[in-house]
């Protein structure tokens, strides 16, 4: 039998959700002896995430000093987190003959590789969740060289590379020298959430929008807020819910205090599908740099249409005019898109219906689990 351990440094927002949901779904199949999490965290790792750990099964833990992202991963090459010891303990606990170590750190997983010294046979999988920060890497030769070094270690012949979308292939080739044919594309997924469409479809006179995720400038939450403030000033009954944490958290809190009639700041929401999205009509993500955001998949699982920018894997996920709208990264573009919905209530019902159909076809967690199982056992099938 095989056990699996999902590993990441400082997992947050989308990747943290991906790890938890994938591990939980894999446990339910009964196909693995055990499925565990392995996390390396800095002092600023959110306390809200700490509170979740007792509910997540077997969790292995290591600590990292508070450093910038690149330095933090360089530190792992000097002071290794003991992943091999995690592997041997997991194998002993679960009586597994082999352990899959599934990294969610993309190319920076190379800081932990190669894995040596474990007594248990290991299969290594590395998943790319997009390539954030590609533009800065192009302008910073030394940092680009370091990240290319990480990437080459993570792309060793015995490592299986997967990506949540094909949007990263060009940057992976340009920055890291990794060709597209090294990757297997497996999108993020999750269970279907029950939903009877949003409150606007069910007669509410307010249209409720939401941003769920990191509160950073590149995520575009402020662009969305500006659009809502403009609409509210024009007399439109619209509400914008901001859920998340990050560097812009204080700014989001202040904006909500200044515009309580149309903006509400919620902070960290541990389970958006249960506690937030049932009260939302439209999910908004005005991002400038993303792969396939897990927040979009969560919204789609609830039948919530998405208005987003044409970034990374989003155009392969959101079908413009069918399951939402793909727009320019401006507040006016968002105002115009919302205007289309407000002009005819039936548009939102149609978008919601199509969103659920697309989710069932492409992002249901059962098919994602099966796709990863194929990758985990790829070598076994090739030698059979």
């Amino acid at each position: 039998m095989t056990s699996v351990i999902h590993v990441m440094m400082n997992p947050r927002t989308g990747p943290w959700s991906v790890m938890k949901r994938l591990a939980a779904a894999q446990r339910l199949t009964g196909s693995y002896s055990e499925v565990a999490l392995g996390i390396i965290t800095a002092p600023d790792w959110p306390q809200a995430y700490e509170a979740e750990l007792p509910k997540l099964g077997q969790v292995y833990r290591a600590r990292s000093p508070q450093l910038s992202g690149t330095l933090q991963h360089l530190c792992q090459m000097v002071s290794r987190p003991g992943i091999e010891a995690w592997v041997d303990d997991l194998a002993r606990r679960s009586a597994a003959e082999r352990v899959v170590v599934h990294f969610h750190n993309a190319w920076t997983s190379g800081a932990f590789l190669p894995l040596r010294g474990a007594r248990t046979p290991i299969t290594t999988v590395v998943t790319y969740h997009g390539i954030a920060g590609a533009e800065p890497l192009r302008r910073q030769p030394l940092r680009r060289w370091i990240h290319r070094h990480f990437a080459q270690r993570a792309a060793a012949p015995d490592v299986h590379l997967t990506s949540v979308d094909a949007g990263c292939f060009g940057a992976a080739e340009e920055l890291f020298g990794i060709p597209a044919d090294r990757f297997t594309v497996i999108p993020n997924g999750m269970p279907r959430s029950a939903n009877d469409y949003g409150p606007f479809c069910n007669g509410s006179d307010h249209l409720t929008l939401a941003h769920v995720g990191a509160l950073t400038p590149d995520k575009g939450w402020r662009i969305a807020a500006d659009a809502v403030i403009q609409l509210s000033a024009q007399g439109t009954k619209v509400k914008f819910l901001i859920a998340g944490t990050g560097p812009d958290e204080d700014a989001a809190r202040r904006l909500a205090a200044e515009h309580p009639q149309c903006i509400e700041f919620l902070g960290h929401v541990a389970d958006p599908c249960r506690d937030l999205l049932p009260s939302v009509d439209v999910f908004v993500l005005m991002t400038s740099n993303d792969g396939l955001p897990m927040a979009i998949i969560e919204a789609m699982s609830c039948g919530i249409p998405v208005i987003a920018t044409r970034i990374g894997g989003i155009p392969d996920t959101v079908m413009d005019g069918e399951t939402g709208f793909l727009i320019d990264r401006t507040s006016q573009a968002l105002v115009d898109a919302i205007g289309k919905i407000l002009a005819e209530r039936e548009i939102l019902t149609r978008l919601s219906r199509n969103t659920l159909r697309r989710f069932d076809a492409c992002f249901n967690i059962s098919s994602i689990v099966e796709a990863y199982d194929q990758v985990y056992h790829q070598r076994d099938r090739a030698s059979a």
Side-chain angles (χ1 to χ4, degrees):
M1 287 289 286
T2 298
S3 286
V4 181
I5 179 169
H6 294 276
V7 178
M8 190 173 184
M9 174 177 281
N10 284 328
R12 297 173 187 254
T13 59
W16 179 229
S17 178
V18 168
M19 287 177 68
K20 293 184 298 179
R21 293 186 186 281
L22 181 57
Q26 288 173 330
R27 291 189 197 103
L28 287 175
T29 67
S31 299
Y32 303 101
S33 298
E34 190 167 347
V35 182
L37 301 179
I39 55 176
I40 303 99
T41 60
D44 69 343
W45 200 60
Q47 284 298 311
Y49 294 170
E50 294 275 2
E52 298 178 46
L53 296 183
K55 306 173 184 177
L56 301 180
Q58 178 65 30
V59 178
Y60 294 94
R61 191 78 179 273
R63 309 286 180 172
S64 169
Q66 191 67 54
L67 299 167
S68 69
T70 300
L71 290 176
Q72 206 167 53
H73 282 91
L74 281 171
C75 179
Q76 303 309 306
M77 301 179 71
V78 177
S79 180
R80 295 177 65 81
I83 295 172
E84 293 89 343
W86 297 349
V87 166
D88 285 336
D89 181 73
L90 182 60
R92 179 187 59 79
R93 289 167 50 90
S94 62
E97 299 173 351
R98 180 174 62 115
V99 172
V100 175
V101 181
H102 187 157
F103 288 100
H104 295 268
N105 287 293
W107 65 96
T108 50
S109 301
F112 307 106
L113 299 173
L115 297 175
R116 293 178 178 145
R119 297 186 298 274
T120 308
I122 293 174
T123 295
T124 305
V125 177
V126 170
T127 292
Y128 276 53
H129 296 270
I131 298 184
E135 193 56 40
L137 286 178
R138 293 185 179 98
R139 300 192 304 266
Q140 300 168 2
L142 176 59
R143 187 161 167 263
R144 183 173 67 245
W145 182 88
I146 293 171
H147 282 253
R148 187 181 180 96
H149 179 64
F150 289 154
Q152 290 295 322
R153 288 163 67 104
D158 60 341
V159 176
H160 303 285
L161 298 182
T162 71
S163 176
V164 299
D165 66 272
C168 76
F169 291 171
E173 173 71 39
E174 174 196 352
L175 296 172
F176 309 138
I178 301 174
D181 61 8
R182 278 299 315 273
F183 292 93
T184 300
V185 175
I186 303 177
N188 293 329
M190 62 175 296
R192 166 83 171 266
S193 300
N195 190 26
D196 294 324
Y197 304 133
F200 192 74
C201 290
N202 287 296
S204 172
D205 62 349
H206 277 74
L207 184 72
T208 303
L209 290 76
H211 168 99
V212 182
L215 296 180
T216 58
D218 64 317
K219 291 293 185 179
W221 70 271
R222 183 57 197 259
I223 296 173
D226 288 344
V228 169
I229 292 169
Q230 179 181 335
L231 285 164
S232 180
Q234 296 169 357
T236 303
K237 293 182 177 181
V238 62
K239 189 84 171 180
F240 184 42
L241 307 178
I242 305 173
T245 59
D248 290 352
E249 188 172 341
D250 288 341
R253 186 178 289 107
R254 286 194 301 270
L255 200 65
E258 294 168 3
H259 302 276
Q261 77 284 359
C262 62
I263 296 180
E264 184 176 351
F265 174 68
L266 303 175
H268 174 70
V269 177
D271 190 345
C273 291
R274 182 191 66 196
D275 300 329
L276 171 60
L277 293 176
S279 63
V280 172
D281 298 302
V282 179
F283 182 84
V284 179
L285 188 61
M286 304 298 287
T287 182
S288 64
N289 197 340
D290 253 306
L292 177 55
M294 188 61 192
I296 286 182
I297 306 302
E298 289 178 333
M300 292 179 66
S301 78
C302 297
I304 298 174
V306 176
I307 301 177
T309 47
R310 298 176 179 85
I311 298 297
I314 295 175
D316 296 327
T317 306
V318 179
M319 312 308 290
D320 190 30
E322 294 297 323
T323 65
F325 297 108
L326 298 173
I327 63 174
D328 293 337
R329 195 173 185 259
T330 67
S331 58
Q332 186 57 52
L334 181 54
V335 167
D336 294 342
I338 294 171
K340 294 179 183 178
I341 292 172
L342 292 170
E344 187 179 347
R345 192 179 294 257
E346 176 56 30
I347 290 176
L348 190 59
T349 303
R350 176 177 61 81
L351 294 175
S352 297
R353 188 183 304 117
N354 291 341
T355 296
L356 282 175
R357 288 172 179 165
R358 178 149 179 80
F359 172 83
D360 287 338
C362 302
F363 305 111
N364 197 296
I365 191 65
S366 59
S367 59
I368 308 307
V369 167
E370 183 177 343
Y372 274 120
D373 189 73
Q374 294 285 325
V375 171
Y376 293 170
H377 295 95
Q378 199 172 78
R379 183 161 298 165
D380 297 345
R381 294 183 177 91
S383 60

